[in-house]
Amino acid sequence: MMLAVSHPQIIDRVSAETSWMRRSGEKGWASFQFEDDGKPWALHDDTARQAFLRDVLEILDVAAHRKSEADWFRSIRIHPITGEETEITQATIYVEDRAESELAFGPSATLERHLVQKVLEVGLACNPLSRIVEIAARGGKKVRDQYAASFAKHFAPQSAAPIEVPRREVLLDTLRAQPDFVTEPADGIARVEVSSLDFFSVGGAFARFEKRGEDETIYQFLERRFGSMSPLRTGGWTIVAATLRIFLEARNGKRARTLTVTLRTPNSTTVPNKTEADRHFVFGLLERWRLVAPPPKDFDLVEDFD
């Protein structure tokens, strides 16, 4: 109770992260960037897929007789703001885990102990155009590195080893009030807008608001529509995601374009999906606007390596 009274924002953030971990099955996520060398990936090679599956079983440290299945499929990601479509090759690998004993009501309406066969899951999402591989699995950094190394070995043997995209803490409390996006002439930015905000309530509810257009900002919309009951003004609501649209001017023979960046707590961004030049440019802006924490020092990195 003392922590809740003294540090309400920290408690709200812990609640949001705990809720996410429960919904994701305690799986962590990591994104790995390959060099844009133009060399093809063998994503559809059955031999490579079988070899990768064997490596997954070894990384999970399960017995060889355990049942396993790899479901490979293609999906289309549609950006919620721009509507841009991206084709992604995905795989979900299911591996039979040890059975667990759980209590349940039986036919006689009394509690009985039942054996439940558990299944481990490892998720993979590949974007050959941007040369990015995303991995969702239980375990820490060492485990993520093993999956990435196995992917490179079997699907991209001609390319250099990928690098895990650094994850920077996202500081979304900065967006609780209309931010002052400070720009410089050299940036070539016409304007910046917050086009969506996602909220999490201590009661377990999620809410998303989207607003596009120059006539009214999302802050003006929330104030007009909800007034003092806006999640930006009332307690118990935490901003867990936001989307920014950075409108760039036409310069040096290049047409005007828009960079769309989505930030999610605690440390996810879509910045790695941009080109190398755009990544450096956008991260510099996010640091200037205090939306991401400074790069951590080596001795500040603390993570579960089990």
Side-chain angles (χ1 to χ4, degrees), residues 43-58:
L43 294 176
H44 305 290
D45 188 314
D46 289 335
T47 302
R49 290 183 176 184
Q50 290 299 321
F52 181 70
L53 176 58
R54 289 193 295 270
D55 282 357
V56 169
L57 295 177
E58 184 176 341

Side-chain angles (χ1 to χ4, degrees), residues 122 165 174 293:
V122 176
V165 177
T174 305

Side-chain angles (χ1 to χ4, degrees), residues 183-213:
T183 62
E184 300 174 357
D187 297 331
I189 296 176
R191 65 186 180 90
V192 183
E193 73 172 22
V194 179
S195 55
S196 75
L197 290 171
D198 291 18
F199 298 88
F200 173 79
S201 168
V202 292
F206 286 87
R208 177 178 183 139
F209 298 91
E210 295 185 22
K211 180 65 180 175
R212 295 176 58 180

Side-chain angles (χ1 to χ4, degrees), residues 48-63 66-70 72 91-96 120-124 135-138 143 146-151 154-155:
R49 290 183 176 184
Q50 290 299 321
F52 181 70
L53 176 58
R54 289 193 295 270
D55 282 357
V56 169
L57 295 177
E58 184 176 341
I59 294 170
L60 291 173
D61 192 24
V62 297
R66 296 286 182 183
K67 298 177 183 178
S68 62
E69 179 180 328
W72 289 84
T92 303
I93 298 173
Y94 304 94
V95 180
E96 184 182 33
L120 297 171
E121 293 183 22
V122 176
L124 195 71
I135 296 171
R138 297 177 67 175
V143 175
Q146 288 178 308
Y147 287 121
S150 176
F151 179 93
H154 300 299
F155 297 112

